[in-house]
Amino acid sequence: VSQLLLGFPVALEFEFNTVSFPRPYVNGGVGVYYSRFSIDDGDDVPFDDDRSASETDVGLNIGGGLRFTPKLGLEVRLIDVSGFTTIPIMLTYRIK
């Protein structure tokens, strides 16, 4: 079984203005996501033929995180694309 979710999100971010680091922030937005899955005959599945599907959809995302330095942070984001929901935890690096 193989799965792929490739997204191009656009999000707005609000950083809480604290005196020092870490600085919390929240974000949310929309994106275009391409998803694909496939199941091969060799996988342990109850049917005999290969199956696969792919589609491109609009998805929503909402999340938040902590910025430890002006460039380095940690973020959790909930992404929902046509009923498929994932929650990635990401190390972030800002290029400014």
Side-chain angles (χ1 to χ4, degrees):
V1 175
S2 68
Q3 297 175 318
L4 170 72
L5 179 65
L6 178 63
F8 300 95
V10 176
L12 295 176
E13 183 175 292
F14 176 78
E15 186 175 289
F16 296 95
N17 194 9
T18 59
V19 177
S20 62
F21 289 97
R23 289 191 179 146
Y25 65 92
V26 295
N27 60 27
V30 298
V32 175
Y33 294 87
Y34 169 77
S35 59
R36 182 184 71 208
F37 83 93
S38 64
I39 301 172
D40 298 329
D41 278 342
D43 295 334
D44 192 16
V45 294
F47 44 84
D48 292 331
D49 57 344
D50 291 347
R51 307 240 174 139
S52 65
S54 65
E55 61 184 4
T56 302
D57 291 307
V58 174
L60 301 174
N61 63 76
I62 187 168
L66 289 174
R67 195 145 345 274
F68 299 111
T69 71
K71 293 188 176 196
L72 187 65
L74 185 66
E75 179 176 305
V76 176
R77 190 178 287 199
L78 182 136
I79 302 171
D80 182 74
V81 181
S82 295
F84 174 76
T85 303
T86 185
I87 304 174
I89 300 170
M90 301 173 280
L91 184 62
T92 62
Y93 183 80
R94 283 184 146 191
I95 300 173
K96 276 190 177 180

